[in-house]
Amino acid sequence: MMAVLACIILIAGCVRKPKAVLLNDATVLHDNEDQLTQVIIYDVFTPPVASRIYGYTALASYEAMRYADPKYNSIITQLKGFGKPPEPQKGRKYNYALAATKAFFTVAHKVTFSIDTLKKYENRVYAMYKDNLDDSTYTRSIDFGEQIGNLILKRAAVDHYPQTRGKPKYLGEESPAKWRPTPPDYMDGVEFCWGDMHVLAIDSSKQFAPLPPPPYSEDKNSTFVKEYTGVYNKSKTLTKEEKEIATFWDDNPFVIQHSGHLMFADKKITPGGHWIGITAIACKQQHANAVKTAEAYALTSIALYDSFICCWEVKYHYSYARPVTNINEKLDHNWLPLLQTPPFPEYTAGHSTISAASAIVLTHLFGDNFAFQDTSDKRYIGMQRHFNSFVQASDETALSRFYGGIHYLNSSLTGAVQGKQIGEFIWNKLKITN
């Protein structure tokens, strides 16, 4: 009996678990980004902070992945405050997708909250590489990725983010045309000092400053009155498609639902997360390799980050009142917009700005007439839309804010102009390939 048991134990010891299938490098990068988006949603980061998370993690991933193709240059050496990146040892073997993953999550651990969730995913990825690489290549790649991640974190530590956390609440001003907390929850202004953040590629947060918004007036023929009456009148005549457009591009992580005495939040992607999703769609549709994929995520993330900073500089400089404030005070006390108004000043429209900046970068990467089905938000709101170009998508985004009743048309269109300027500047400044 003991002999039989010994044989069983011996046989069991000889049975090895199946080797993990090594995923395509680009697939790993896409999965990494998707995992990060899930954490951003779960942790309910504000849209500007989400752009910071996407920015630093994508840069870390790119700076490791680029070594798989010698014609690609460093991006961080062309940005502000990063310093010289580490280089792989000559004549040594690396798996750069593994290094990019380690760099990506080295940064992600320090800029998100749900680290345990990230680690569970990471461990599965690392186990896959462990099964398919020799020990020295695996260790060398991990170490290299960690070096890059730590370099990125040094820059993140001095970008003024800690200083923006300790500011007093912003409750606006009790004066005509100035922003005040809006219904239904009257939250204080989000990311009051985001315009003070240190930009990545552009010269300053004031570089592409738009003209001032229309001044306050009680003259019925003034632009100011026409703006809020325009929003009010449009809300009464919205078509089914216009309502769908507004809902599709809502991307508001602050939406609070009320049911009696209960309050609960709807989970959905941020505006930046929506464009990270579009970037993934474009890369997959073009069958982009891992380096091209890392480049696309990095450039889109830079555009998101810098355009959020520029837009927030404008928002809190003018502290312009939302349509709901003027309409409730001047036209209809009970009126509410189709979309829930986000808790920060109106001028200019943030989603318009960051969408235009992202669309310009993606157009340069993938072409003017890049048709795609936008399924970025399908898992959250069950909607998808078709676009014939990235710019068409961003132009629709601008209109969506007007349809939703949360922005004046002028603010939406002005934000789009600013975003396009930022996107073009970033693309012309950065030299990605030799």
Side-chain angles (χ1 to χ4, degrees):
M1 188 67 168
M2 292 298 292
V4 172
L5 183 59
C7 287
I8 292 173
I9 293 172
L10 180 62
I11 292 170
C14 293
V15 176
R16 303 178 65 181
K17 70 174 183 177
K19 187 177 178 180
V21 176
L22 187 63
L23 294 176
N24 173 276
D25 288 349
T27 299
V28 173
L29 300 190
H30 287 309
D31 289 349
N32 293 348
E33 286 284 351
D34 184 66
Q35 184 65 34
L36 181 64
T37 291
Q38 302 315 306
V39 166
I40 288 172
I41 292 169
Y42 183 83
D43 287 346
V44 198
F45 286 106
T46 67
V49 174
S51 76
R52 178 178 184 262
I53 295 169
Y54 284 124
Y56 287 128
T57 53
L59 281 171
S61 181
Y62 171 82
E63 289 297 327
M65 195 71 240
R66 72 181 176 89
Y67 285 104
D69 187 338
K71 74 173 181 286
Y72 280 82
N73 299 318
S74 169
I75 291 178
I76 63 172
T77 57
Q78 303 175 66
L79 302 178
K80 303 175 187 299
F82 284 90
K84 185 177 180 182
E87 296 183 2
Q89 300 174 42
K90 291 182 178 180
R92 297 295 185 95
K93 186 178 177 182
Y94 290 83
N95 184 292
Y96 292 113
L98 172 57
T101 299
K102 183 61 178 178
F104 184 91
F105 286 108
T106 296
V107 174
H109 286 173
K110 299 297 184 181
V111 293
T112 60
F113 301 141
S114 298
I115 298 173
D116 289 344
T117 301
L118 293 177
K119 285 184 176 179
K120 287 178 183 178
Y121 164 81
E122 276 182 272
N123 289 337
R124 294 195 298 271
V125 178
Y126 295 150
M128 174 189 72
Y129 284 109
K130 196 96 173 159
D131 275 0
N132 288 277
L133 300 176
D134 62 83
D135 289 345
S136 60
T137 301
Y138 177 87
T139 301
R140 192 179 303 118
S141 303
I142 287 285
D143 290 345
F144 183 57
E146 189 169 16
Q147 290 175 45
I148 291 175
N150 286 333
L151 178 67
I152 300 295
L153 286 172
K154 285 184 180 180
R155 201 299 186 164
V158 294
D159 67 357
H160 205 69
Y161 180 74
Q163 290 84 345
T164 66
R165 301 304 91 191
K167 297 291 183 179
K169 288 185 176 183
Y170 184 80
L171 298 175
E173 302 174 39
E174 286 293 335
S175 62
K178 293 298 184 180
W179 182 84
R180 279 151 280 162
T182 53
D185 298 302
Y186 299 93
M187 297 170 63
D188 56 288
V190 166
E191 303 303 340
F192 170 37
C193 299
W194 200 257
D196 295 335
M197 291 288 292
H198 297 172
V199 293
L200 291 173
I202 62 175
D203 295 337
S204 79
S205 62
K206 298 179 177 63
Q207 185 177 356
F208 300 100
L211 294 173
Y216 178 80
S217 174
E218 296 185 4
D219 181 349
K220 291 183 179 180
N221 294 316
S222 68
T223 302
F224 183 84
V225 172
K226 287 179 180 179
E227 283 209 313
Y228 68 75
T229 55
V231 172
Y232 181 72
N233 292 335
K234 185 62 183 176
S235 73
K236 304 296 185 182
T237 61
L238 288 170
T239 66
K240 180 181 177 182
E241 184 180 20
E242 287 169 343
K243 290 178 181 178
E244 288 177 354
I245 289 170
T247 302
F248 182 75
W249 290 106
D250 186 17
D251 299 333
N252 182 0
F254 296 103
V255 172
I256 306 296
Q257 301 293 349
H258 298 258
S259 179
H261 295 292
L262 295 177
M263 297 173 58
F264 58 93
D266 282 342
K267 297 284 189 179
K268 62 179 76 171
I269 54 178
T270 63
H274 197 141
W275 281 93
I276 290 295
I278 291 173
T279 303
I281 291 167
C283 289
K284 292 173 184 178
Q285 189 169 311
Q286 198 182 67
H287 305 290
N289 64 23
V291 183
K292 176 80 171 183
T293 296
E295 175 196 17
Y297 280 129
L299 291 178
T300 303
S301 297
I302 293 169
L304 290 171
Y305 183 79
D306 277 1
S307 57
F308 262 115
I309 294 173
C310 284
C311 181
W312 251 246
E313 168 64 28
V314 176
K315 280 185 179 294
Y316 284 97
H317 176 74
Y318 292 109
S319 192
Y320 211 52
R322 289 279 180 171
V324 67
T325 300
N326 289 308
I327 292 171
N328 285 169
E329 291 179 354
K330 306 289 189 352
L331 296 177
D332 184 343
H333 179 72
N334 297 315
W335 182 86
L336 287 175
L338 175 65
L339 302 181
Q340 194 172 109
T341 302
F344 36 81
E346 191 274 340
Y347 186 81
T348 57
H351 210 333
S352 300
T353 308
I354 67 98
S355 295
S358 301
I360 291 298
V361 167
L362 289 170
T363 298
H364 282 295
L365 283 167
F366 296 105
D368 286 319
N369 301 306
F370 192 95
F372 65 98
Q373 190 75 8
D374 184 3
T375 56
S376 303
D377 221 3
K378 189 175 181 181
R379 75 174 93 171
Y380 310 109
I381 63 173
M383 296 177 68
Q384 58 185 314
R385 289 183 65 79
H386 181 82
F387 300 102
N388 293 317
S389 71
F390 301 111
V391 172
Q392 183 192 27
S394 69
D395 287 346
E396 185 177 279
T397 311
L399 289 175
S400 77
R401 318 317 271 170
F402 175 61
Y403 297 155
I406 60 175
H407 277 291
Y408 307 113
L409 183 58
N410 175 64
S411 302
S412 297
L413 299 180
T414 301
V417 171
Q418 185 188 41
K420 289 174 182 177
Q421 292 172 337
I422 294 167
E424 290 289 0
F425 182 90
I426 290 170
W427 177 261
N428 291 325
K429 176 178 180 174
L430 301 179
K431 307 303 178 188
I432 307 300
T433 55
N434 297 322

